[in-house]
Amino acid sequence: MYIIIVGAGKLGYQLSETFSLKENDVTLIDINDEALQKANSSIDLLTINSNGMNLEVMKEINIETADFLSL
C-alpha cells in the first residue's frame, strides 16, 4: 500500500512506524526538519520537508495513487 502521512508529531511518527513494519510504501511530510530526521533515522520511509497542504508537493508525490492519507 502507498501511504502518505502529513505531520511528524507523535501520532504521525507512530503511524509511520507501524505502517512501515508491514512493508508499505510510506511518505511522511512535515515542516519540522528535526522531526523528519528522527523518523528517517529509524524508519524505512520517504520524508519530505514541506507544508502538507502544498498542492504542488502532493501532485509530485502522486497523491491520487495513495491508498491511505492521514492529515
Side-chain angles (χ1 to χ4, degrees), residues 16 19-21 23-26 39-46:
S16 298
F19 283 125
S20 70
L21 291 174
E23 298 184 23
N24 294 301
D25 183 14
V26 179
N40 205 24
S41 68
S42 59
I43 304 170
D44 182 23
L45 49 64
L46 171 65

Side-chain angles (χ1 to χ4, degrees), residues 4-69:
I4 300 172
I5 299 170
V6 178
K10 289 180 183 178
L11 179 59
Y13 183 91
Q14 288 178 335
L15 286 172
S16 298
E17 188 174 47
T18 300
F19 283 125
S20 70
L21 291 174
K22 303 289 183 182
E23 298 184 23
N24 294 301
D25 183 14
V26 179
T27 299
L28 180 62
I29 304 170
D30 201 300
I31 58 171
N32 184 335
D33 192 47
E34 209 172 290
L36 292 175
Q37 287 178 12
K38 177 185 172 190
N40 205 24
S41 68
S42 59
I43 304 170
D44 182 23
L45 49 64
L46 171 65
T47 57
I48 298 177
N49 189 333
S50 179
N51 182 326
M53 296 296 117
N54 184 327
L55 292 178
E56 288 302 314
V57 169
M58 290 301 199
K59 288 178 185 176
E60 287 178 27
I61 63 170
N62 299 316
I63 188 173
E64 66 275 357
T65 65
D67 298 300
F68 181 81
L69 172 65

